[in-house]
Amino acid sequence: MSLSREQLLAETRRVLKSSCGVDEEIAEGSRLGEDLRLDSVGMLSLAVNLENRYRIRLVDDPASPPRTVGDVLDLLERAVLASEGSS
């Protein structure tokens, strides 16, 4: 089940709008905190919803957390690829 970046972006947008209450336009370059106004609870909600949706575990570097939607997509792509490899 290989997913395209466009599919991952569409699902990320859905989660941001439905679970995180984001009303702004969402693009890969959108900054999570500054543009979409996600706080730590919003970030956690985004991560948990995406993990549950794809049955994966998102792993980021605590020293360099995702700052943009594109960063989240990069994490998703790596996690989905890793889960496909372990299946």
Side-chain angles (χ1 to χ4, degrees):
M1 170 188 85
S2 193
L3 296 165
S4 71
R5 192 165 178 97
E6 292 77 27
Q7 289 171 307
L8 294 173
L9 177 57
E11 183 62 16
T12 301
R13 282 182 175 138
R14 187 194 68 72
V15 170
L16 283 165
K17 289 181 180 288
S18 66
S19 298
C20 303
V22 172
D23 292 325
E24 289 78 9
E25 186 66 31
I26 301 167
E28 281 200 44
S30 298
R31 296 170 298 174
L32 300 171
E34 296 88 338
D35 300 328
L36 304 182
R37 297 197 270 298
L38 287 187
D39 58 11
S40 57
V41 173
M43 293 284 283
L44 183 59
S45 179
L46 175 62
V48 167
N49 277 281
L50 291 173
E51 287 178 340
N52 289 341
R53 166 67 177 87
Y54 293 110
R55 300 180 198 273
I56 56 163
R57 180 81 177 119
L58 292 175
V59 179
D60 66 333
D61 177 1
S64 179
R67 294 183 40 96
T68 67
V69 171
D71 293 342
V72 172
L73 295 179
D74 292 342
L75 288 172
L76 266 176
E77 285 179 326
R78 284 194 299 271
V80 168
L81 190 62
S83 74
E84 288 175 350
S86 66
S87 303

Coordinates of all heavy atoms in Angstrom, one line a residue:
M1 N 0.8 -1.2 0.0 CA 0.0 0.0 0.0 C 0.9 1.2 0.0 O 1.1 1.9 1.0 CB -0.9 0.0 1.2 CG -1.6 1.3 1.5 SD -2.5 1.4 3.0 CE -1.2 1.9 4.1
S2 N 1.5 1.5 -1.1 CA 2.3 2.7 -1.2 C 1.5 3.9 -1.4 O 0.6 4.0 -2.3 CB 3.3 2.5 -2.4 OG 4.3 3.5 -2.3
L3 N 1.7 4.9 -0.6 CA 0.9 6.2 -0.7 C 1.7 7.3 -1.3 O 2.9 7.4 -1.0 CB 0.4 6.6 0.7 CG -0.5 5.6 1.4 CD1 -0.5 5.9 2.9 CD2 -1.9 5.7 0.8
S4 N 1.1 8.1 -2.1 CA 1.8 9.2 -2.7 C 1.8 10.4 -1.7 O 1.0 10.4 -0.7 CB 1.0 9.7 -4.0 OG -0.2 10.3 -3.6
R5 N 2.7 11.3 -1.9 CA 2.8 12.5 -1.1 C 1.5 13.3 -1.1 O 1.1 13.8 -0.1 CB 4.0 13.3 -1.5 CG 4.4 14.4 -0.5 CD 5.8 14.9 -0.8 NE 6.1 16.0 0.2 CZ 6.9 15.8 1.2 NH1 7.3 14.6 1.6 NH2 7.2 16.9 2.0
E6 N 0.9 13.3 -2.3 CA -0.4 14.0 -2.4 C -1.5 13.4 -1.5 O -2.3 14.1 -0.9 CB -0.9 14.1 -3.9 CG 0.0 14.9 -4.8 CD 1.3 14.2 -5.2 OE1 1.4 13.0 -5.2 OE2 2.3 14.9 -5.4
Q7 N -1.5 12.1 -1.5 CA -2.5 11.4 -0.6 C -2.2 11.7 0.9 O -3.1 11.9 1.7 CB -2.4 9.9 -0.8 CG -3.0 9.4 -2.2 CD -2.8 8.0 -2.5 OE1 -1.6 7.5 -2.4 NE2 -3.8 7.3 -2.8
L8 N -0.9 11.7 1.2 CA -0.5 12.0 2.6 C -0.9 13.4 3.0 O -1.4 13.7 4.1 CB 0.9 11.7 2.9 CG 1.4 10.3 2.7 CD1 2.9 10.2 2.8 CD2 0.7 9.4 3.8
L9 N -0.7 14.3 2.0 CA -1.0 15.8 2.2 C -2.5 15.9 2.4 O -3.0 16.6 3.3 CB -0.5 16.6 1.1 CG -0.9 18.1 1.2 CD1 -0.4 18.7 2.4 CD2 -0.3 18.8 -0.1
A10 N -3.3 15.2 1.6 CA -4.8 15.3 1.7 C -5.3 14.8 3.1 O -6.1 15.5 3.7 CB -5.4 14.5 0.6
E11 N -4.7 13.7 3.5 CA -5.1 13.2 4.9 C -4.6 14.1 6.0 O -5.4 14.3 7.0 CB -4.6 11.8 5.1 CG -5.0 11.1 6.3 CD -6.5 10.9 6.5 OE1 -7.2 11.0 5.5 OE2 -6.9 10.7 7.6
T12 N -3.4 14.7 5.8 CA -2.9 15.6 6.9 C -3.8 16.8 6.9 O -4.2 17.3 8.0 CB -1.5 16.0 6.5 OG1 -0.7 14.8 6.5 CG2 -0.9 17.0 7.6
R13 N -4.2 17.3 5.8 CA -5.2 18.5 5.7 C -6.5 18.1 6.4 O -7.0 18.9 7.2 CB -5.5 18.9 4.3 CG -4.4 19.7 3.6 CD -4.8 20.1 2.2 NE -3.8 20.9 1.6 CZ -3.4 20.8 0.3 NH1 -3.9 19.9 -0.4 NH2 -2.5 21.6 -0.1
R14 N -7.0 16.9 6.1 CA -8.3 16.5 6.7 C -8.1 16.5 8.3 O -9.0 17.0 9.0 CB -8.7 15.1 6.2 CG -10.1 14.7 6.7 CD -10.3 13.2 6.5 NE -9.5 12.4 7.3 CZ -9.7 12.2 8.6 NH1 -10.6 12.9 9.3 NH2 -8.9 11.4 9.3
V15 N -7.0 15.9 8.8 CA -6.8 15.8 10.2 C -6.7 17.2 10.8 O -7.3 17.5 11.9 CB -5.6 15.0 10.6 CG1 -5.2 15.1 12.0 CG2 -5.9 13.5 10.2
L16 N -5.9 18.1 10.2 CA -5.7 19.4 10.7 C -7.0 20.2 10.8 O -7.3 20.9 11.7 CB -4.7 20.2 9.8 CG -3.3 19.9 10.0 CD1 -2.4 20.4 8.8 CD2 -2.8 20.4 11.3
K17 N -7.9 20.0 9.8 CA -9.2 20.7 9.8 C -10.2 20.1 10.8 O -10.8 20.8 11.5 CB -9.8 20.7 8.4 CG -9.0 21.7 7.4 CD -9.6 21.7 6.0 CE -8.8 22.6 5.1 NZ -9.0 24.0 5.4
S18 N -10.3 18.8 10.7 CA -11.3 18.1 11.6 C -10.9 17.9 13.0 O -11.8 18.1 13.9 CB -11.7 16.8 10.9 OG -10.6 15.8 11.0
S19 N -9.7 17.6 13.3 CA -9.3 17.3 14.7 C -8.5 18.4 15.3 O -8.5 18.5 16.6 CB -8.4 16.1 14.7 OG -9.1 14.9 14.2
C20 N -7.9 19.3 14.6 CA -7.1 20.4 15.2 C -7.8 21.8 15.0 O -7.2 22.8 15.5 CB -5.7 20.4 14.5 SG -4.9 18.8 14.7
G21 N -8.9 21.8 14.3 CA -9.6 23.1 14.2 C -9.0 24.2 13.3 O -9.2 25.3 13.4
V22 N -8.1 23.7 12.4 CA -7.4 24.7 11.5 C -8.4 25.1 10.4 O -9.0 24.3 9.7 CB -6.2 24.0 10.9 CG1 -5.6 24.9 9.8 CG2 -5.2 23.7 12.0
D23 N -8.5 26.4 10.2 CA -9.4 27.0 9.2 C -8.6 27.6 8.0 O -9.1 27.9 7.0 CB -10.3 28.1 9.8 CG -11.3 27.6 10.7 OD1 -11.8 26.5 10.5 OD2 -11.6 28.3 11.7
E24 N -7.3 27.8 8.3 CA -6.4 28.5 7.3 C -6.1 27.5 6.1 O -6.3 26.3 6.2 CB -5.1 28.9 7.9 CG -5.2 30.0 8.9 CD -5.7 29.6 10.2 OE1 -5.9 28.4 10.5 OE2 -6.0 30.6 11.0
E25 N -5.7 28.1 5.0 CA -5.2 27.3 3.8 C -4.0 26.5 4.3 O -3.1 27.1 5.0 CB -4.9 28.3 2.7 CG -4.5 27.6 1.4 CD -5.7 26.9 0.8 OE1 -6.8 27.3 0.9 OE2 -5.4 25.9 0.1
I26 N -3.9 25.3 3.9 CA -2.9 24.4 4.3 C -2.0 24.0 3.1 O -2.6 23.3 2.2 CB -3.4 23.1 5.0 CG1 -4.2 23.6 6.2 CG2 -2.3 22.2 5.4 CD1 -5.1 22.4 6.8
A27 N -0.8 24.3 3.1 CA 0.2 24.0 2.1 C 1.4 23.3 2.7 O 1.6 23.4 3.9 CB 0.6 25.2 1.3
E28 N 2.2 22.7 1.9 CA 3.4 22.0 2.5 C 4.3 23.0 3.2 O 4.9 22.7 4.2 CB 4.3 21.3 1.4 CG 3.7 20.0 1.0 CD 4.7 19.1 0.3 OE1 5.9 19.0 0.7 OE2 4.3 18.5 -0.7
G29 N 4.3 24.2 2.8 CA 5.2 25.2 3.4 C 4.5 25.9 4.7 O 5.2 26.7 5.3
S30 N 3.3 25.5 4.9 CA 2.6 26.1 6.1 C 3.3 25.8 7.4 O 3.6 24.6 7.6 CB 1.2 25.6 6.2 OG 0.4 26.0 5.1
R31 N 3.6 26.8 8.2 CA 4.3 26.6 9.5 C 3.2 26.2 10.5 O 2.2 26.8 10.6 CB 5.1 27.8 9.9 CG 6.2 28.1 8.9 CD 6.8 29.5 9.2 NE 5.8 30.5 9.1 CZ 5.9 31.8 9.3 NH1 7.1 32.2 9.8 NH2 4.9 32.6 9.2
L32 N 3.5 25.1 11.2 CA 2.5 24.5 12.2 C 2.1 25.5 13.2 O 0.9 25.7 13.5 CB 3.1 23.2 12.8 CG 3.4 22.1 11.8 CD1 4.1 21.0 12.5 CD2 2.1 21.6 11.1
G33 N 3.1 26.2 13.9 CA 2.8 27.1 14.9 C 2.4 28.5 14.4 O 1.3 29.0 14.8
E34 N 3.2 29.1 13.6 CA 3.0 30.4 13.2 C 1.8 30.6 12.2 O 1.0 31.5 12.4 CB 4.3 31.0 12.5 CG 5.5 31.1 13.4 CD 6.3 29.8 13.4 OE1 5.8 28.7 13.1 OE2 7.5 29.8 13.8
D35 N 1.7 29.8 11.2 CA 0.6 29.9 10.2 C -0.7 29.2 10.6 O -1.8 29.8 10.4 CB 1.1 29.4 8.8 CG 2.3 30.1 8.3 OD1 2.5 31.3 8.6 OD2 3.1 29.4 7.6
L36 N -0.6 28.0 11.1 CA -1.8 27.2 11.4 C -2.2 27.3 12.9 O -3.2 26.8 13.3 CB -1.5 25.7 11.1 CG -1.1 25.5 9.6 CD1 -0.9 24.0 9.3 CD2 -2.1 26.1 8.6
R37 N -1.3 28.0 13.7 CA -1.6 28.3 15.1 C -1.8 27.0 16.0 O -2.7 27.0 16.8 CB -2.8 29.2 15.3 CG -2.5 30.6 14.7 CD -3.5 31.6 15.1 NE -4.7 31.9 14.4 CZ -4.9 32.3 13.2 NH1 -3.8 32.4 12.4 NH2 -6.1 32.5 12.7
L38 N -1.0 26.0 15.7 CA -1.1 24.8 16.5 C -0.3 25.0 17.8 O 0.9 25.4 17.7 CB -0.6 23.6 15.7 CG -1.4 23.0 14.6 CD1 -0.7 21.7 14.1 CD2 -2.8 22.7 15.0
D39 N -0.9 24.6 18.9 CA -0.1 24.6 20.1 C 0.3 23.2 20.4 O 0.2 22.3 19.5 CB -0.9 25.2 21.3 CG -2.3 24.4 21.5 OD1 -2.4 23.3 20.9 OD2 -3.1 24.9 22.3
S40 N 0.9 22.9 21.6 CA 1.4 21.6 21.8 C 0.3 20.5 21.8 O 0.5 19.4 21.4 CB 2.1 21.5 23.2 OG 1.3 21.9 24.2
V41 N -0.9 20.9 22.2 CA -2.1 20.0 22.2 C -2.5 19.7 20.7 O -2.7 18.5 20.4 CB -3.3 20.5 23.0 CG1 -4.5 19.6 22.8 CG2 -2.9 20.7 24.5
G42 N -2.5 20.7 19.9 CA -2.8 20.5 18.5 C -1.8 19.7 17.8 O -2.1 18.8 17.0
M43 N -0.5 19.9 18.1 CA 0.6 19.0 17.6 C 0.4 17.6 18.0 O 0.5 16.7 17.1 CB 2.0 19.5 18.0 CG 2.3 20.9 17.5 SD 2.8 20.8 15.8 CE 4.4 20.2 16.0
L44 N 0.1 17.3 19.2 CA -0.1 16.0 19.7 C -1.3 15.4 19.0 O -1.3 14.2 18.6 CB -0.3 16.0 21.2 CG -0.5 14.6 21.9 CD1 0.8 13.8 21.6 CD2 -0.7 14.8 23.4
S45 N -2.4 16.1 18.9 CA -3.6 15.6 18.2 C -3.3 15.2 16.8 O -3.7 14.2 16.3 CB -4.7 16.7 18.3 OG -5.8 16.2 17.6
L46 N -2.5 16.1 16.1 CA -2.2 15.8 14.7 C -1.4 14.5 14.6 O -1.7 13.6 13.8 CB -1.3 16.9 14.1 CG -0.7 16.7 12.8 CD1 -1.8 16.5 11.7 CD2 0.2 17.9 12.4
A47 N -0.4 14.3 15.5 CA 0.5 13.2 15.5 C -0.3 11.9 15.8 O -0.2 10.9 15.1 CB 1.7 13.3 16.5
V48 N -1.1 11.9 16.8 CA -1.9 10.8 17.3 C -2.9 10.3 16.2 O -3.0 9.2 15.9 CB -2.6 11.0 18.6 CG1 -3.6 9.9 18.9 CG2 -1.6 11.1 19.7
N49 N -3.6 11.3 15.6 CA -4.5 11.0 14.5 C -3.9 10.4 13.3 O -4.4 9.4 12.7 CB -5.3 12.2 14.2 CG -6.5 12.5 15.1 OD1 -7.5 11.8 15.0 ND2 -6.3 13.4 16.0
L50 N -2.7 10.9 12.9 CA -2.0 10.3 11.8 C -1.4 9.0 12.1 O -1.5 8.0 11.3 CB -0.9 11.3 11.3 CG -1.4 12.6 10.7 CD1 -0.2 13.5 10.4 CD2 -2.2 12.3 9.4
E51 N -0.9 8.8 13.3 CA -0.4 7.5 13.7 C -1.5 6.4 13.7 O -1.4 5.3 13.2 CB 0.2 7.5 15.1 CG 1.5 8.2 15.1 CD 2.1 8.3 16.5 OE1 1.4 8.2 17.5 OE2 3.4 8.5 16.6
N52 N -2.7 6.8 14.2 CA -3.8 5.9 14.2 C -4.3 5.6 12.8 O -4.7 4.4 12.5 CB -5.0 6.4 15.1 CG -4.6 6.4 16.6 OD1 -3.8 5.7 17.0 ND2 -5.3 7.2 17.3
R53 N -4.4 6.6 12.0 CA -4.9 6.4 10.6 C -4.0 5.5 9.8 O -4.5 4.6 9.1 CB -4.9 7.8 10.0 CG -5.1 7.8 8.4 CD -6.5 7.2 8.1 NE -6.7 7.3 6.6 CZ -6.3 6.3 5.8 NH1 -5.7 5.2 6.2 NH2 -6.6 6.5 4.5
Y54 N -2.7 5.6 10.0 CA -1.8 4.8 9.2 C -1.2 3.6 9.9 O -0.4 2.9 9.4 CB -0.7 5.7 8.6 CG -1.2 6.6 7.6 CD1 -1.3 8.0 7.8 CD2 -1.7 6.2 6.3 CE1 -1.8 8.9 6.9 CE2 -2.2 7.1 5.4 CZ -2.3 8.4 5.7 OH -2.8 9.3 4.8
R55 N -1.5 3.5 11.2 CA -1.0 2.4 12.1 C 0.5 2.4 12.0 O 1.2 1.4 11.8 CB -1.6 1.0 11.6 CG -3.1 1.0 11.7 CD -3.6 -0.4 11.2 NE -5.0 -0.4 10.9 CZ -5.9 -0.6 11.8 NH1 -5.7 -0.8 13.0 NH2 -7.2 -0.6 11.4
I56 N 1.1 3.6 12.3 CA 2.5 3.8 12.4 C 2.9 4.5 13.6 O 2.0 4.9 14.4 CB 3.0 4.6 11.1 CG1 2.2 6.0 11.1 CG2 2.8 3.9 9.8 CD1 2.8 7.0 10.3
R57 N 4.2 4.7 13.8 CA 4.7 5.5 14.9 C 5.6 6.5 14.3 O 6.6 6.3 13.6 CB 5.5 4.6 15.8 CG 6.1 5.3 17.0 CD 5.1 5.4 18.1 NE 5.7 6.1 19.3 CZ 5.3 7.2 19.8 NH1 4.3 7.8 19.2 NH2 5.9 7.8 20.8
L58 N 5.2 7.8 14.5 CA 6.0 8.9 14.0 C 7.2 9.1 14.9 O 7.0 9.2 16.2 CB 5.2 10.2 13.9 CG 4.1 10.2 12.9 CD1 3.2 11.5 13.0 CD2 4.6 10.1 11.5
V59 N 8.4 9.2 14.4 CA 9.6 9.4 15.2 C 10.2 10.7 14.7 O 10.6 10.7 13.5 CB 10.5 8.2 15.1 CG1 11.7 8.4 15.9 CG2 9.8 6.9 15.6
D60 N 10.4 11.7 15.5 CA 11.1 12.9 15.1 C 12.3 13.1 16.1 O 12.4 12.5 17.1 CB 10.2 14.1 15.1 CG 9.7 14.5 16.4 OD1 9.6 13.6 17.3 OD2 9.4 15.7 16.6
D61 N 13.1 14.0 15.7 CA 14.3 14.3 16.5 C 13.8 15.4 17.5 O 13.4 16.5 17.1 CB 15.4 14.9 15.6 CG 16.6 15.3 16.3 OD1 16.6 15.3 17.6 OD2 17.6 15.8 15.7
P62 N 13.8 15.1 18.8 CA 13.4 16.1 19.8 C 14.1 17.5 19.7 O 13.5 18.5 20.0 CB 13.6 15.5 21.1 CG 13.8 14.0 20.9 CD 14.3 13.9 19.4
A63 N 15.3 17.5 19.2 CA 16.1 18.7 19.0 C 15.6 19.5 17.8 O 15.9 20.6 17.6 CB 17.6 18.4 19.0
S64 N 14.9 18.8 16.9 CA 14.5 19.4 15.7 C 13.1 18.9 15.3 O 12.9 18.2 14.3 CB 15.5 19.1 14.5 OG 15.1 19.6 13.3
P65 N 12.1 19.3 16.0 CA 10.7 18.9 15.8 C 10.2 19.5 14.4 O 10.7 20.5 13.9 CB 9.9 19.4 16.9 CG 10.7 20.6 17.4 CD 12.1 20.3 17.1
P66 N 9.2 18.8 13.9 CA 8.7 19.4 12.6 C 8.1 20.8 12.8 O 7.4 21.1 13.8 CB 7.5 18.4 12.2 CG 7.2 17.7 13.5 CD 8.4 17.7 14.4
R67 N 8.4 21.6 11.8 CA 8.0 23.0 11.9 C 7.0 23.3 10.8 O 6.2 24.3 10.9 CB 9.2 24.0 11.7 CG 10.2 23.9 12.8 CD 11.3 24.9 12.7 NE 10.9 26.2 12.2 CZ 10.6 27.2 13.0 NH1 10.7 27.1 14.2 NH2 10.2 28.3 12.4
T68 N 6.9 22.5 9.7 CA 6.0 22.8 8.6 C 5.2 21.5 8.3 O 5.6 20.4 8.7 CB 6.8 23.2 7.4 OG1 7.5 22.1 6.9 CG2 7.7 24.4 7.6
V69 N 4.2 21.7 7.5 CA 3.4 20.6 7.0 C 4.3 19.7 6.2 O 4.2 18.4 6.3 CB 2.2 21.1 6.2 CG1 1.5 19.9 5.5 CG2 1.2 21.8 7.1
G70 N 5.2 20.2 5.5 CA 6.2 19.4 4.7 C 7.0 18.5 5.6 O 7.3 17.4 5.2
D71 N 7.4 19.1 6.7 CA 8.2 18.3 7.7 C 7.4 17.1 8.2 O 7.9 16.0 8.3 CB 8.6 19.1 8.9 CG 9.6 20.2 8.5 OD1 10.3 20.1 7.5 OD2 9.8 21.1 9.4
V72 N 6.1 17.3 8.5 CA 5.2 16.2 8.9 C 5.1 15.2 7.8 O 5.2 14.0 8.1 CB 3.8 16.8 9.3 CG1 2.8 15.7 9.5 CG2 3.9 17.7 10.5
L73 N 5.0 15.6 6.6 CA 4.9 14.7 5.4 C 6.1 13.9 5.3 O 6.1 12.7 5.0 CB 4.6 15.4 4.1 CG 3.2 16.2 4.0 CD1 3.1 16.9 2.7 CD2 2.1 15.2 4.3
D74 N 7.3 14.5 5.5 CA 8.6 13.7 5.5 C 8.6 12.6 6.5 O 9.0 11.5 6.3 CB 9.8 14.7 5.7 CG 10.0 15.7 4.6 OD1 9.5 15.4 3.5 OD2 10.7 16.7 4.8
L75 N 8.1 13.0 7.8 CA 8.0 12.0 8.8 C 7.1 10.9 8.5 O 7.4 9.7 8.7 CB 7.6 12.6 10.1 CG 8.6 13.5 10.9 CD1 7.9 14.2 12.0 CD2 9.8 12.7 11.4
L76 N 5.9 11.2 7.9 CA 4.9 10.3 7.5 C 5.5 9.3 6.5 O 5.3 8.1 6.5 CB 3.7 11.0 6.9 CG 2.5 11.2 7.9 CD1 1.5 12.0 7.1 CD2 2.0 10.0 8.4
E77 N 6.1 9.9 5.4 CA 6.7 9.1 4.4 C 7.7 8.0 4.9 O 7.7 6.9 4.6 CB 7.4 9.9 3.3 CG 6.4 10.6 2.4 CD 7.1 11.5 1.4 OE1 8.1 12.1 1.7 OE2 6.5 11.6 0.3
R78 N 8.6 8.5 5.8 CA 9.6 7.6 6.4 C 8.9 6.5 7.2 O 9.2 5.3 7.2 CB 10.6 8.3 7.3 CG 11.6 9.1 6.5 CD 12.8 9.6 7.3 NE 12.4 10.5 8.4 CZ 12.4 11.8 8.2 NH1 12.6 12.4 7.1 NH2 12.1 12.6 9.2
A79 N 7.9 6.9 8.0 CA 7.2 5.9 8.9 C 6.4 4.9 8.1 O 6.4 3.7 8.4 CB 6.3 6.6 9.9
V80 N 5.7 5.4 7.1 CA 4.9 4.5 6.2 C 5.8 3.5 5.5 O 5.6 2.3 5.4 CB 4.0 5.3 5.2 CG1 3.4 4.3 4.2 CG2 2.9 6.0 6.0
L81 N 6.9 4.0 5.0 CA 7.9 3.2 4.3 C 8.5 2.1 5.2 O 8.6 1.0 4.8 CB 9.0 4.1 3.7 CG 10.0 3.4 2.7 CD1 9.2 2.9 1.5 CD2 11.1 4.3 2.3
A82 N 8.8 2.5 6.4 CA 9.4 1.6 7.4 C 8.4 0.5 7.8 O 8.7 -0.6 7.9 CB 9.9 2.4 8.6
S83 N 7.1 0.9 7.9 CA 6.1 -0.1 8.3 C 5.8 -1.0 7.1 O 5.5 -2.2 7.4 CB 4.8 0.6 8.7 OG 4.1 1.1 7.6
E84 N 5.9 -0.6 5.9 CA 5.8 -1.5 4.7 C 6.9 -2.5 4.7 O 6.7 -3.6 4.3 CB 5.7 -0.7 3.4 CG 4.4 0.1 3.3 CD 4.3 1.0 2.1 OE1 5.3 1.2 1.4 OE2 3.2 1.5 1.8
G85 N 8.1 -2.0 5.0 CA 9.3 -2.9 5.0 C 9.2 -3.9 6.1 O 9.8 -5.0 6.0
S86 N 8.5 -3.6 7.2 CA 8.5 -4.6 8.3 C 7.3 -5.5 8.2 O 7.2 -6.4 9.0 CB 8.5 -3.9 9.7 OG 7.3 -3.1 9.8
S87 N 6.4 -5.3 7.3 CA 5.2 -6.2 7.1 C 5.5 -7.5 6.5 O 6.3 -7.6 5.6 CB 4.2 -5.5 6.3 OG 3.8 -4.2 6.9

